């Protein structure tokens, strides 16, 4: 399983709308509206890089109010 953290910048005033769209997807395990350079942080779990690509194509790129994303792929987890 691949775990990724997606940092999202949204057009001003559309944060809640984008947040509600993102949390509908079952691949999104956690999501937070945050203050600072990014507006939303989402933790995504997928079985492969190809499925992560598909998540970007099917979900993130279809939300017009998203201006920018940065995806961080976790290399290790200690929980």
């Amino acid at each position: 399983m691949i775990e990724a953290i997606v940092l999202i910048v949204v057009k001003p005033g559309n944060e809640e709308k984008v947040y509600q769209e993102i949390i509908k997807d079952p691949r999104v395990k956690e999501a937070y509206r945050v203050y600072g350079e990014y507006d939303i942080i989402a933790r995504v779990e997928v079985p492969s890089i190809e499925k992560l690509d598909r998540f970007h194509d099917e979900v993130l790129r279809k939300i017009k109010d998203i201006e920018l994303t940065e995806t961080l792929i976790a290399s290790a987890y200690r929980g």
Side-chain angles (χ1 to χ4, degrees):
M1 189 65 71
I2 292 176
E3 186 169 18
I5 304 299
V6 183
L7 309 173
I8 303 167
V9 176
V10 176
K11 290 180 183 175
N14 293 290
E15 297 84 1
E16 183 63 23
K17 177 181 166 186
V18 172
Y19 174 81
Q20 291 300 324
E21 281 295 312
I22 288 170
I23 62 171
K24 290 179 187 176
D25 193 283
R27 294 167 284 196
V28 176
K29 303 304 179 187
E30 293 180 79
Y32 302 94
R33 289 183 57 193
V34 296
Y35 296 106
E37 187 174 341
Y38 299 97
D39 300 304
I40 299 169
I41 296 175
R43 183 174 66 84
V44 178
E45 286 184 5
V46 291
S48 66
I49 291 293
E50 292 80 18
K51 298 290 185 183
L52 183 59
D53 288 342
R54 186 171 286 167
F55 172 76
H56 273 270
D57 293 341
E58 293 175 354
V59 178
L60 299 179
R61 291 193 176 123
K62 290 186 178 179
I63 301 174
K64 296 181 193 281
D65 292 317
I66 292 178
E67 292 186 335
L68 173 90
T69 64
E70 184 171 348
T71 301
L72 311 172
I73 298 173
S75 64
Y77 172 73
R78 181 180 285 176

